[in-house]
Amino acid sequence: MRQEPKTDDLPRQPVAALLRQHAPLLVTGLLFVAGIYALYHLLAPLDMRVVLAQLRATPPHLIAAALAATAVGYAALIGYDWSALRYIGKSAPPASVALGGFLGYALGNTIGLSAVSGGAVRYRIYSALGLDAYDVAAISTFAALSYGIGATLIGLGALAIHPAALSGFVAIPPAHLRLLALAAVLALVLVMVVIAHRGGALRLGRFTLTAPGGGDLLRQLAITSVDISMAALALHLLLPTGAMPFANMLAVFAIATMVGVASHVPGGIGVFESVVIAALPATVPVNDAVTALLLFRLIYFLLPFVLALLLLSLTEVWGAAGQKLPALGPLMPVVKAGRSLIPMATGVLVLGSGLAMMFAGLLPNARITAEEIETLLPLTMVEGGPLLSSIIGSLMAVLSVSVFRRSHLAFWGVFAVLLSGIAVAALKTQDLDRVLILSVMALILWPCRREFYRRARLSQGVMSVRWIVFTLATLTSLGLTWYMVHADSAARDLTWWQVAGDAPAVVAWRAALTAGVILSAALLYSGFRVARLGTSTPDPEALAKAQGIIAEFGQGGDAIALTGDKALMFGPAGRSVLSYGVKGGSWIAMGAPVGSEEDVEDLAWAFHDAARAAGARPVFYEAPMGFAEQAIDMGLTLHKMGEEAVVPLLNFSLDGPERKKLRTTWNRAQRDGLSVEIMPAPHDPALIDALAVISQGWLMQHAAREKRFSVGRFDPAWLNRTRIAIVRLNGEICAFANLMESDRSGAVDLMRHRPDAPAATMEFLFTDLLLQLKAEGRQFFSLGMVPFAGLPGRRGATLWARFGNLVYAHGDRFYSFDGLRRFKAKFDPIWQPRYFCCRSALPPVGPLTDAARLIAGSARGIVGK
C-alpha cells in the first residue's frame, strides 16, 4: 500500500547535483528574465495606449499580405519534413505529411518546439506513420542542421549586402563586417561543397547521418530560404514603411531567431523581441516596433495555433465518424496522433489566456485591453476589473498544468469559465461579436472533452522545477510590466503593501500583487500536498491487491512486481500498480504502471512528481513501447535496452516443416525421460527445500550470487506466490522455473537446473510450457528479453557493456546475446522493444549506475573500475 514517508528512506542529493540536474531549466528561466529586463530598458518610452490604437488602425491590406507570407512560410516548414523523409529513405502519404507537418509546426512554434527540435509533437505524428524513434530523431536532426546552416548562410549573405544592419550590436566598421561576412559565406559554401563531393557520415548519438549530395543540399537550402524569407517578410510588412531595408531585416531576423532558439525560451519570447528592437534604427518609434512585433506574434504564431486547435477538434469528430468517412482512411493515423495532442494544445491556450488576463489588469485602460485580447485569446472572457481579471487569469494558469495532464475536472472548470463569459457578454454587455467568438471556441472545445478523462487532483504537477521557474519568471515579468507602464504615474512613496486607492497605478499594482499571491499560494499548497513515498517493502495485503490488478490488466512478466523486494505504489483509483526501488539519486520503476488506462496515466505522473519532489531522478527500467508516448510527455528520453521475445500462443504448434527441429527435440527429450509438471501455489516445504539445493548448485556452478529488482531471487515467499514448472528426469527433479502469469499471458522468472541436466532441458521446458499454457487458454508467452540489441558501434557502448557485465554476468561467463537471440528465435516470437527511460539524452551514466547497484544489490557502480 502507499506508505507514509520515512525521513531516512528519502534520497538526498547535494545542492551541486540538484543544480546540475536542473541546469537547463534554470538557464532558460534566467535567459527569459534577462530578455524581459532587456525589453524593459528598450521599451522605456513605450505608451501602451498608442500601441493599442495602432493595433486597431493597422491597414487590412498589410495584415492580408502578412497572412499570405505566413501561409507560404508554413508550406516551407512542411517542406522540411518532406525533404527529411526523402533524405532518410522513408516515405509517407503526401496528405499525411502535410497535415502532420502543419500540426507539428503550428503547435511546436507556440509551445516551444521550433523547426529545429523534435519532441512529443513530431514523435506522435511520425510514429503514427510507421516511423520509429530513431527515424524521428534523424528527421529532427536533419531539420536542425538544415535550419541552422541555412539561417546562418542567409543571415551572413544579408549582412554582406547590408553590413550596417548590426551596427547597433557590434563596434566593427561596416566595411570590415562585410569582408568578414563574405569570408564566412565562402568558407561555409566551400565546406558544403566538399561534404557533398566527398561524402562521409556524421554520427550523432545512436544514429548516423550520411553526407547529403549536391541536389539534397540545394533543395534544403531552397526550403530554408523560403521559410526564413517569408517569416522575415511578414515582420517587415508590419513595420513602418522604410524602417529597415528587407536585406537588413533578413540578417536581423536570422540572428534574432537563432538567439531565441539557443535560449530555449518557449517561442524565444523576450529574447527575439530584444534583438529586433535593438537592431532597428533610432528613427523607428518604440511604439511602432512593439505594434509590429505583437501583430507578428499574433499572425505567425497564434493564428496557426488556433487553426491547429480547430483541426484537432475536427479530428475528434472524424475519429467518432471514422466508419462513415472512408475517404479519410489514409489520414486516419495522423488524425489519431493529432487527437493525442489535444491536451497539450488546450493547455497552452488556457495558459496563454490566463497570462493575458493577468497582464491585462496592469495596462492603463483595462477594458480596452481586455477587448483587444479577448478577440484573439477567446478564453479571456470574464468581464470585470483588473483585480478580477488577475484572479481568474492566475487560476487559469494553475489549471493549465492539469489540463496538460488530461484532468477531467480542469477541463470542465475551463469550459465553465468559457460559458460564463458567453453569458456575461450576452446579458450584461450585449456584445454579439464576443458571444460569437466565444461560442465558436466552445464548439471547438466540446468535441475534445473525451480526451480529458483523468481524475487527477487540480494541484498535481504544480510543485515541480518547471513550475517554480515558470512562477518566478511570471512574477518578475509582472513586476517589470507594472513598473514600465506605471513608473511615471505611481506615487513615489508607494510600497508593496499599499493596495488601497483608485489611482490607475494602485489598481494595477493591486492586480499584480493578487496574481503573484495566488500563483505563489498554489505553488506552496501543492508543495505541501506532494506525497513523498517511503521504500518499505509491501505487506501481504498490498501484494494481493497488486496481483489482482496484474492478473486482470497486465502481462505475465509484469508479475515481477510481486517479488517482495520493491515498494508498490497504487493509482488514485486503486486500479493500477507500479513497483519501484530507490538507489542513489534515482527512483527506478520496474517497467511501466499496469492497470486501467486512465489510472495508469495518473499513477505514472504521480510517481514522476513524487520522485522530483524528493530531489531524485524518475527512471523507468525496461519500459514497453506502449509507454513511450507518456515518457516523452514527461520529458524523458528513451534508450533502447533490448527486445523482448513474445510468442503468440493461438497459432503456436509443433506441426509443419518449420517446426521440425523443435518437434524432434521435444520428442527426443520425452523418450529420454524428461517431463514437465506445473505445480500450483502454495508449495510443500519439502519441494522448496529440494529446489533450493538445485538453485544453490546452479549459483555455485556460475560463480554468481542472487540478483535483485529486475529478476527474481530464490525466496520461498516469492515462490509461494507463483506456480512452478518442475522438470523431471526419470522421476527426479533436474530443473525448475517459476511462472509469472496474468489472465492473458505467462512468462518465466527463475530458470535453474542441475549441472548434470540434459543439454536440451531448457528448450524442452519452454516448448512444453508453451503447449500447456496454450491449452489453458493463455494468449501470449514471454521468453524474456535479449539485452542490448544493436549495441556494437553505438555511442556509449563501453558504458552499456559495463552495465551489462555487472547485471547479466555470472563470474567470468557473460551471456552471449547473439546466441540467446538465436535460441529464442526458434519459437518464432514477436520482438518488442524495451527502453530505459530517463531525463538524460546522453548516455545516462548516473541513472545506469543507480540501476546497476539496485539490481546487483551492492554499492558497486559501472563507471570506472
Side-chain angles (χ1 to χ4, degrees):
M1 303 294 287
R2 292 184 67 157
Q3 308 289 335
E4 290 300 321
K6 295 183 178 181
T7 304
D8 294 339
D9 288 334
L10 297 178
R12 289 184 171 87
Q13 290 179 285
V15 175
L18 286 173
L19 290 176
R20 286 196 302 270
Q21 181 179 346
H22 302 303
L25 278 174
L26 296 176
V27 170
T28 297
L30 290 174
L31 288 173
F32 176 79
V33 172
I36 295 296
Y37 184 73
L39 277 179
Y40 160 70
H41 284 285
L42 292 170
L43 302 181
L46 179 69
D47 188 336
M48 285 302 299
R49 295 180 179 84
V50 175
V51 171
L52 294 175
Q54 289 177 334
L55 283 172
R56 303 181 69 178
T58 303
H61 70 276
L62 289 180
I63 294 178
L67 288 171
T70 298
V72 176
Y74 270 81
L77 287 175
I78 296 172
Y80 279 110
D81 291 24
W82 169 79
S83 180
L85 284 170
R86 286 193 53 178
Y87 175 72
I88 66 174
K90 302 290 183 177
S91 62
S96 297
V97 175
L99 177 60
F102 174 74
L103 289 175
Y105 287 109
L107 297 176
N109 285 343
T110 302
I111 296 170
L113 306 171
S114 66
V116 301
S117 67
V121 175
R122 183 179 266 124
Y123 177 82
R124 278 194 172 98
I125 290 169
Y126 285 109
S127 62
L129 297 177
L131 278 66
D132 60 23
Y134 296 149
D135 292 331
V136 176
I139 291 173
S140 299
T141 303
F142 180 84
L145 292 175
S146 300
Y147 185 87
I149 293 173
T152 302
L153 195 59
I154 292 170
L156 289 172
L159 191 61
I161 298 174
H162 286 280
L166 298 185
S167 57
F169 288 105
V170 295
I172 302 175
H176 293 171
L177 196 58
R178 173 180 280 120
L179 291 176
L180 290 175
L182 285 173
V185 168
L186 291 175
L188 187 57
V189 170
L190 180 62
V191 170
M192 294 171 62
V193 170
V194 171
I195 290 176
H197 178 70
R198 297 183 59 181
L202 174 64
R203 187 175 299 280
L204 293 169
R206 287 165 289 176
F207 54 89
T208 301
L209 290 178
T210 56
D216 293 327
L217 281 174
L218 292 176
R219 181 181 67 245
Q220 195 55 47
L221 282 176
I223 293 172
T224 307
S225 299
V226 174
D227 167 26
I228 296 177
S229 298
M230 289 299 101
L233 179 61
L235 178 57
H236 180 71
L237 290 168
L238 298 171
L239 286 169
T241 303
M244 178 181 287
F246 182 65
N248 291 29
M249 187 73 254
L250 268 179
V252 171
F253 185 89
I255 293 172
T257 302
M258 295 303 291
V259 171
V261 170
S263 72
H264 288 82
V265 174
I269 295 177
V271 180
F272 174 86
E273 283 79 5
S274 297
V275 175
V276 172
I277 293 176
L280 288 173
T283 55
V284 178
V286 173
N287 293 329
D288 294 348
V290 171
T291 301
L293 287 167
L294 281 176
L295 279 174
F296 175 73
R297 285 280 182 187
L298 296 175
I299 292 173
Y300 200 82
F301 291 95
L302 184 61
L303 183 59
F305 176 82
V306 173
L307 290 177
L309 184 58
L310 174 60
L311 280 176
L312 292 178
S313 180
L314 291 177
T315 63
E316 285 290 306
V317 178
W318 289 339
Q323 300 299 323
K324 302 177 183 179
L325 299 172
L328 289 175
L331 291 177
M332 285 311 294
V334 179
V335 167
K336 183 178 179 180
R339 291 164 64 185
S340 68
L341 297 171
I342 287 174
M344 183 186 301
T346 306
V348 170
L349 185 61
V350 173
L351 176 61
S353 301
L355 292 175
M357 293 185 71
M358 291 165 60
F359 283 91
L362 309 183
L363 302 179
N365 191 328
R367 185 174 184 278
I368 294 178
T369 302
E371 289 178 354
E372 291 295 332
I373 295 176
E374 286 166 10
T375 303
L376 297 162
L377 290 174
L379 291 182
T380 59
M381 72 296 293
V382 177
E383 182 75 18
L387 184 61
L388 183 58
S389 177
S390 290
I391 293 173
I392 298 298
S394 301
L395 293 177
M396 290 179 68
V398 175
L399 280 177
S400 67
V401 179
S402 296
V403 172
F404 276 117
R405 298 187 176 186
R406 299 178 181 269
S407 169
H408 179 79
L409 185 59
F411 173 81
W412 286 111
V414 170
F415 201 79
V417 175
L418 180 61
L419 295 180
S420 300
I422 294 174
V424 169
L427 301 177
K428 183 177 179 180
T429 64
Q430 288 81 47
D431 190 337
L432 297 182
D433 291 339
R434 190 177 306 175
V435 169
L436 177 61
I437 292 174
L438 299 181
S439 298
V440 169
M441 287 307 301
L443 292 175
I444 290 176
L445 293 181
W446 176 253
C448 303
R449 65 191 183 280
R450 289 184 292 272
E451 298 297 329
F452 299 87
Y453 50 77
R454 293 181 56 209
R455 291 176 287 183
R457 58 185 173 87
L458 293 181
S459 60
Q460 182 179 339
V462 174
M463 186 61 179
S464 65
V465 176
R466 290 178 182 273
W467 178 251
I468 292 173
V469 172
F470 162 77
T471 302
L472 293 177
T474 302
L475 295 178
T476 303
S477 302
L478 283 169
L480 288 176
T481 301
W482 178 86
Y483 190 79
M484 180 181 66
V485 176
H486 297 285
D488 294 336
S489 59
R492 296 303 174 190
D493 58 348
L494 181 67
T495 56
W496 68 268
W497 49 267
Q498 290 178 302
V499 295
D502 297 326
V506 177
V507 172
W509 178 243
R510 188 159 57 235
L513 184 62
T514 302
V517 168
I518 291 177
L519 282 176
S520 302
L523 182 66
L524 292 174
Y525 173 75
S526 181
F528 285 119
R529 287 286 304 275
V530 171
R532 295 190 173 190
L533 305 180
T535 57
S536 302
T537 53
D539 54 34
E541 180 184 354
L543 288 170
K545 179 179 179 180
Q547 190 167 17
I549 293 173
I550 291 170
E552 181 179 358
F553 296 103
Q555 303 297 327
D558 295 326
I560 195 68
L562 308 176
T563 55
D565 62 347
K566 294 177 280 293
L568 297 178
M569 183 177 182
F570 294 93
R575 300 277 288 167
S576 63
V577 64
L578 174 147
S579 62
Y580 71 99
V582 175
K583 180 63 72 173
S586 302
W587 285 30
I588 306 171
M590 183 61 226
V594 179
S596 64
E597 182 178 354
E598 298 85 354
D599 211 39
V600 157
E601 191 167 352
D602 283 339
L603 177 55
W605 274 112
F607 173 79
H608 173 276
D609 293 344
R612 301 289 286 177
R617 295 178 290 252
V619 178
F620 293 85
Y621 182 88
E622 289 191 14
M625 185 64 191
F627 183 68
E629 185 175 297
Q630 187 171 4
I632 291 173
D633 278 347
M634 293 176 175
L636 306 180
T637 300
L638 278 63
H639 301 271
K640 187 176 181 181
M641 294 191 64
E643 295 177 330
E644 180 187 12
V646 179
V647 179
L649 294 180
L650 297 180
N651 299 322
F652 180 80
S653 74
L654 296 181
D655 300 328
E658 70 278 3
R659 302 289 191 189
K660 182 178 179 180
K661 291 184 178 180
L662 203 60
R663 183 170 62 250
T664 300
T665 302
W666 184 68
N667 288 328
R668 182 183 298 117
Q670 287 183 309
R671 289 195 300 269
D672 292 341
L674 287 175
S675 63
V676 175
E677 180 184 3
I678 300 179
M679 309 292 290
H683 305 289
D684 189 294
L687 175 63
I688 296 296
D689 291 341
L691 299 183
V693 173
I694 295 176
S695 178
Q696 286 297 325
W698 186 88
L699 290 172
M700 292 178 62
Q701 177 188 2
H702 293 86
R705 65 177 181 176
E706 298 281 13
K707 299 289 194 274
R708 300 173 182 268
F709 187 70
S710 64
V711 292
R713 64 194 188 282
F714 194 95
D715 175 26
W718 162 230
L719 295 180
N720 275 311
R721 286 192 291 272
T722 70
R723 295 198 294 172
I724 299 179
I726 303 296
V727 183
R728 299 182 186 272
L729 176 61
N730 297 321
E732 294 187 7
I733 300 175
C734 67
F736 73 94
N738 69 314
L739 303 183
M740 300 185 294
E741 299 175 276
S742 72
D743 293 345
R744 292 185 300 259
S745 69
V748 295
D749 180 28
L750 295 180
M751 295 178 292
R752 295 181 179 177
H753 57 80
R754 292 192 333 222
D756 60 346
T761 299
M762 288 297 105
E763 184 174 338
F764 173 72
L765 170 61
F766 273 118
T767 305
D768 207 83
L769 277 177
L770 290 172
L771 294 173
Q772 291 197 45
L773 293 180
K774 176 185 178 180
E776 292 179 1
R778 300 294 198 280
Q779 300 174 20
F780 301 97
F781 185 85
S782 173
L783 300 174
M785 192 182 74
V786 178
F788 312 131
L791 175 63
R794 82 181 191 185
R795 187 178 182 184
T798 302
L799 173 70
W800 286 90
R802 288 176 179 171
F803 173 76
N805 187 57
L806 180 62
V807 173
Y808 296 102
H810 293 295
D812 295 329
R813 296 181 57 188
F814 189 84
Y815 287 157
S816 170
F817 297 137
D818 290 338
L820 188 60
R821 187 180 181 94
R822 285 195 300 271
F823 172 80
K824 295 181 179 183
K826 297 178 181 179
F827 301 93
D828 294 331
I830 299 171
W831 296 99
Q832 299 179 347
R834 290 279 178 164
Y835 296 97
F836 187 89
C837 305
C838 61
R839 286 189 171 270
S840 174
L842 299 173
V845 177
L848 274 180
T849 301
D850 292 338
R853 294 171 59 202
L854 186 63
I855 295 168
S858 71
R860 179 185 173 190
I862 61 172
V863 181
K865 296 183 179 180

